[in-house]
């Protein structure tokens, strides 16, 4: 296509026409006052936007505006360096209960300029730490209790890391750091009751224990009236279904406590075992099933460790910073001072996010003119709500009603994650029975919640210098076992079974402690007993193991017997046996 020819005079005419049009436009719409302010006029009456208008009056649900003489509204836009914008008043009335951003509590500062934890770790790492968040209905309930000035109790169920292995000052323990954060943060957020905010921390952690032990013996270490329970068993549990089932039973048992406590799962990291993955990776799926949040320190630290060693295989600086040190160098099983601080900080950051979310939800509910939607925690709740025509046509019996029954927000699933789905199974909480040697709170005082494991007197139990007796290693007095060495030595214990009829023994297993075997049976059924071996081939793993002796006992009182055997699997011929606890359901 060829070009359309234009003469040079035509171009000049077109340019002059454009300039004239722009000049007339500005002359019509704009003027400059004596102070040099350029002003644009809409040229239309705006009676509700005058700078001198009166405040609107709220009459019932309607908004009544005062009568104003219509005028042409102008908005002054300053072009000089010292002038300011003229404010435009809002048209909408401000409701008394409307949320005000300026009144948000201090903990609503996630990754803003005042968030010191975000400055320290960065939003990327904080986000990675939250392996599962969920809606946190239970935790929000506990936070509301805190904000009202009431006392709460926090119970810790964990292993040697949470117990404070290697720390010389308990104030450096992650649980203490977190409890201090709770005290400081929510004392500031309350009003007249601020001085009365009280947080009691009960650290019921026991070294070398697993979920199988804690599922029935947790109440020996924390009180039953706790508000929040934090579980740390990710590296003590191996990646085994039997331990994952114990972890699930532990969660269900905690939820059955009187105050329906909230649960937070914290997952520490160990790099000394055969695999990086441990029981915590099975815990995560269970935590999601029961809608309990998971905070993972491995998600934060491990990528940095792997990257640093990829760049320089001899680099141990990251491990050196986060882990404990002992006589052998870096202890890749126990967090050090900086690791505890990080875990406490990650929990604090997460809790602030939850608290802020809860506060904003409350403000939104208060400012709404409608009641809370009863179907807001039900998937498709409004879709399931019967229409009027359905009621008239008699269709309502075939439609689910999400407004009936227990709220989903704190619902405990009626079936185990390890069961086949059906329409009828409803798991009921059993009454746990536990007698344990792990009753020490710290290293000097017995836990007030514990029932000490004590053998029955002779002739049911052996007496004298060879008898089973409490023993702990001088360098680690916090770990206590009922111990004996001589073959033929017996110990008997009273046990109380309930609905399940299961009786178990928890005992120490190790590949290097010279541990032997025992034969255990219930009542007079010696021939139906079970052999328990203290020795195993797993190196560098010394943990308590739980084994069922019977699983079909009648409800009621029974006597459990155990006797040290001559036969042993220990290559060195060791026969020592260390009992941690006996339990029954």
């Amino acid at each position: 296509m060829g070009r359309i020819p234009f003469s040079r005079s035509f171009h000049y005419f077109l340019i002059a026409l454009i300039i004239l049009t722009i000049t007339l436009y500005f002359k019509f719409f704009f003027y400059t006052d004596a102070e040099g302010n350029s002003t644009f006029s809409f040229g239309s009456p705006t009676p509700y936007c005058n700078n001198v208008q009166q405040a609107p009056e709220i009459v019932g649900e309607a908004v009544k505006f005062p009568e104003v003489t219509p005028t042409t509204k102008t908005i002054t836009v300053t072009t000089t360096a010292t002038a300011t914008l003229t404010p435009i008043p809002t048209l909408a009335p401000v409701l008394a209960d409307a949320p005000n951003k300026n009144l948000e509590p201090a903990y609503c500062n996630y990754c803003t300029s005042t968030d010191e934890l975000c400055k320290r770790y960065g939003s990327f790492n904080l986000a990675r730490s939250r392996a599962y968040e969920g809606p946190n209905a239970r935790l929000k309930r506990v936070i509301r209790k805190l904000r009202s000035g009431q006392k709460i109790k926090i119970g810790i169920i964990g292993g040697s890391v949470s117990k404070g292995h290697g720390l010389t000052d308990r104030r450096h323990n992650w649980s203490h750091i977190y409890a201090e954060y709770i005290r400081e943060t929510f004392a500031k957020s309350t009003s007249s009751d601020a001085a009365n905010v009280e947080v009691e921390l009960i650290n019921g952690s026991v070294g070398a224990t697993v979920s199988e032990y804690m599922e029935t013996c947790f109440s020996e270490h924390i009180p039953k009236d706790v508000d929040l329970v934090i579980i740390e068993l990710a590296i003590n549990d191996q990646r085994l279904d039997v331990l994952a089932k114990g972890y699930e039973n532990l969660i269900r048992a905690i939820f059955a406590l009187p105050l329906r406590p909230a649960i937070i799962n914290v997952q520490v990291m160990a790099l000394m075992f055969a695999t990086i993955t441990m029981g915590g990776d099975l815990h995560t799926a269970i935590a999601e099933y029961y809608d309990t949040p998971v905070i993972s320190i491995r998600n934060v630290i491990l990528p940095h460790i792997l990257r640093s060693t990829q760049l320089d295989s001899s680099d141990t600086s990251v491990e050196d910073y986060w882990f404990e040190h002992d006589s052998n160098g870096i202890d890749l099983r126990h967090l050090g001072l900086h690791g505890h601080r990080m875990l406490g900080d990650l929990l604090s950051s997460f809790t602030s996010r939850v608290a802020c979310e809860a506060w904003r939800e409350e403000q939104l509910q208060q400012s709404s003119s409608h009641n809370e939607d009863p179907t807001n925690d039900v998937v498709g709740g409004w879709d399931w709500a019967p229409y009027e025509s359905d009621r008239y046509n008699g269709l309502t019996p075939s439609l689910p009603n999400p407004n009936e029954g227990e709220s989903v927000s704190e619902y405990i699933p009626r079936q185990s994650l390890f069961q086949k789905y059906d329409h009828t199974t409803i798991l009921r909480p059993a009454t746990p029975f536990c007698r344990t040697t792990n009753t020490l709170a710290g290293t000097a005082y017995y836990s007030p919640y514990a029932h000490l494991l004590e053998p029955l007197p002779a002739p049911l139990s052996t007496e004298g210098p060879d008898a089973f007796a409490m023993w702990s290693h001088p360098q680690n007095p916090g770990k206590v076992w009922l111990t004996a060495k001589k073959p033929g030595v017996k110990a008997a214990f009273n046990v109380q079974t309930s609905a399940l009829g299961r009786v178990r023994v928890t005992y120490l297993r190790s590949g290097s402690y010279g541990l032997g075997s025992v034969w255990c049976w219930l009542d007079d059924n010696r021939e139906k007993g079970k052999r328990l071996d203290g020795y195993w081939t797993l190196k560098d793993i010394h943990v308590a193991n739980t084994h069922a002796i019977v699983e079909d006992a009648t409800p009621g009182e029974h006597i459990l017997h155990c006797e040290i055997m001559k036969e042993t699997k220990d290559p060195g011929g060791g026969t020592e046996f260390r009992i941690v606890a006996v339990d029954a359901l």
Side-chain angles (χ1 to χ4, degrees):
M1 179 181 294
R3 296 178 57 187
I4 299 176
F6 290 107
S7 65
R8 179 171 298 179
S9 59
F10 180 81
H11 283 105
Y12 290 154
F13 171 77
L14 186 60
I15 292 171
L17 182 61
I18 293 173
I19 293 174
L20 178 62
T21 302
I22 294 173
T23 301
L24 291 174
Y25 179 83
F26 274 87
K27 185 175 182 61
F28 180 77
F29 288 104
F30 284 85
Y31 69 89
T32 302
D33 59 18
E35 297 180 356
N37 295 322
S38 297
T39 304
F40 173 74
S41 173
F42 287 102
S44 60
T46 54
Y48 303 132
C49 293
N50 293 315
N51 291 337
V52 294
Q53 77 171 54
Q54 301 175 23
E57 177 186 1
I58 302 177
V59 181
E61 295 183 356
V63 180
K64 179 181 179 181
F65 290 94
E67 297 182 1
V68 182
T69 303
T71 60
T72 299
K73 175 61 184 172
T74 61
I75 301 175
T76 303
V77 181
T78 303
T79 57
T80 60
T82 58
T84 58
L85 291 173
T86 301
I88 307 175
T90 178
L91 289 178
V94 179
L95 300 177
D97 292 329
N100 189 331
K101 285 287 185 180
N102 296 326
L103 299 180
E104 283 193 337
Y107 49 74
C108 282
N109 67 333
Y110 179 73
C111 282
T112 63
S113 60
T114 61
D115 187 350
E116 296 301 323
L117 295 183
C118 192
K119 293 177 184 178
R120 178 180 297 170
Y121 301 107
S123 59
F124 174 85
N125 291 311
L126 291 178
R128 285 195 65 120
S129 73
R130 301 187 296 273
Y132 176 72
E133 278 193 276
N136 292 292
R138 294 180 180 88
L139 184 56
K140 290 174 183 176
R141 171 167 47 79
V142 175
I143 291 172
R144 286 195 296 270
K145 182 176 180 179
L146 266 173
R147 286 171 47 203
S148 70
Q150 299 180 64
K151 172 184 176 179
I152 71 163
K153 292 183 180 180
I154 301 176
I156 310 297
I157 296 176
S160 54
V161 171
S162 294
K163 191 174 180 65
H165 177 91
L167 297 178
T168 58
D169 189 337
R170 68 178 182 84
R171 291 175 298 179
H172 297 153
N173 191 302
W174 67 263
S175 60
H176 183 86
I177 294 171
Y178 180 66
E180 284 300 303
Y181 149 81
I182 293 289
R183 292 187 187 101
E184 295 175 2
T185 301
F186 294 100
K188 295 176 182 177
S189 71
T190 58
S191 54
S192 60
D193 292 324
N196 298 321
V197 170
E198 183 180 353
V199 178
E200 182 180 350
L201 175 67
I202 305 98
N203 191 342
S205 300
V206 180
T209 53
V210 295
S211 293
E212 270 191 313
Y213 167 79
M214 284 296 185
E215 69 170 293
T216 49
C217 293
F218 73 92
S219 60
E220 300 294 297
H221 305 284
I222 62 173
K224 293 183 179 180
D225 60 344
V226 288
D227 298 278
L228 170 63
V229 178
I230 305 179
I231 305 174
E232 178 271 302
L233 293 168
I235 61 172
N236 280 25
D237 279 5
Q238 300 173 64
R239 195 181 170 108
L240 300 172
D241 278 0
V242 64
L243 296 179
K245 291 177 182 178
Y247 184 78
E248 181 185 35
N249 291 337
L250 172 61
I251 288 181
R252 295 187 70 94
I254 293 172
F255 280 161
L257 290 176
L259 298 183
R260 301 180 296 122
I263 295 176
I264 301 176
N265 307 274
V266 298
Q267 297 187 351
V268 298
M269 174 180 64
L271 298 177
M272 62 174 294
F273 301 122
T275 60
I276 294 174
T277 182
M278 292 295 289
D281 295 302
L282 297 183
H283 294 178
T284 301
I286 296 168
E288 292 174 352
Y289 182 65
Y290 289 94
D291 195 23
T292 58
V294 179
I295 303 300
S296 169
I297 200 170
R298 188 184 72 184
N299 286 1
V300 178
I301 298 178
L302 186 57
H304 297 282
I305 292 177
L306 295 175
R307 181 176 180 274
S308 68
T309 51
Q310 179 177 344
L311 296 174
D312 181 0
S313 60
S314 64
D315 181 19
T316 61
S317 60
V318 182
E319 296 107 306
D320 181 74
Y321 187 78
W322 295 113
F323 283 93
E324 183 57 51
H325 296 75
D326 57 24
S327 58
N328 298 319
I330 303 174
D331 177 1
L332 293 178
R333 178 168 184 163
H334 298 98
L335 293 178
L337 188 68
H338 300 297
H340 274 268
R341 185 191 70 179
M342 173 185 273
L343 188 54
D345 288 346
L346 296 179
L347 272 169
S348 301
S349 176
F350 162 75
T351 304
S352 287
R353 282 171 56 88
V354 174
C356 182
E357 185 178 83
W359 184 88
R360 288 172 176 169
E361 289 170 354
E362 292 171 12
Q363 299 302 303
L364 183 62
Q365 184 177 351
Q366 291 174 11
S367 64
S368 174
S369 59
H370 301 285
N371 293 327
E372 183 179 0
D373 171 17
T375 65
N376 65 357
D377 62 354
V378 180
V379 177
W382 283 116
D383 294 331
W384 292 352
Y387 294 102
E388 289 297 323
S389 59
D390 294 329
R391 294 189 178 93
Y392 295 146
N393 295 329
L395 298 179
T396 51
S398 64
L399 296 174
N401 187 350
N403 299 325
E404 293 181 354
E406 185 179 359
S407 171
V408 177
S409 61
E410 295 194 26
Y411 172 71
I412 302 173
R414 61 179 177 82
Q415 284 193 264
S416 163
L417 194 59
F418 293 89
Q419 291 179 315
K420 186 180 186 304
Y421 170 75
D422 61 40
H423 283 198
T424 58
T425 299
I426 301 177
L427 294 179
R428 303 296 184 186
T431 303
F433 172 94
C434 180
R435 297 294 182 267
T436 178
T437 63
N438 285 319
T439 58
L440 293 180
T443 59
Y445 302 99
Y446 283 100
S447 165
Y449 324 111
H451 301 86
L452 185 63
L453 177 64
E454 296 179 309
L456 294 171
L460 295 174
S461 301
T462 301
E463 293 184 342
D466 297 325
F468 274 93
M470 294 295 181
W471 178 85
S472 64
H473 196 284
Q475 296 181 357
N476 194 354
K479 293 181 180 179
V480 183
W481 300 279
L482 189 65
T483 305
K485 296 182 179 180
K486 188 176 180 179
V489 170
K490 297 182 296 182
F493 313 94
N494 277 327
V495 295
Q496 179 80 35
T497 58
S498 59
L500 195 60
R502 185 187 72 186
V503 178
R504 305 187 306 176
V505 176
T506 299
Y507 57 101
L508 186 69
R509 303 201 72 180
S510 171
S512 57
Y513 287 179
L515 300 181
S517 304
V518 296
W519 185 263
C520 295
W521 67 96
L522 194 67
D523 297 329
D524 298 326
N525 298 320
R526 184 184 180 105
E527 68 281 0
K528 294 184 178 180
K530 298 288 180 63
R531 173 173 172 162
L532 310 179
D533 297 309
Y535 174 83
W536 62 8
T537 58
L538 300 176
K539 301 299 181 183
D540 299 320
I541 300 181
H542 323 286
V543 297
N545 188 260
T546 302
H547 197 96
I549 306 303
V550 298
E551 298 188 74
D552 57 355
T554 57
E557 293 186 359
H558 299 272
I559 297 179
L560 173 68
H561 304 267
C562 290
E563 181 179 338
I564 295 182
M565 302 174 64
K566 293 181 180 180
E567 297 81 6
T568 178
K569 291 187 176 182
D570 178 53
T575 58
E576 179 179 332
F577 199 82
R578 304 181 187 180
I579 298 177
V580 176
V582 299
D583 68 66
L585 279 177

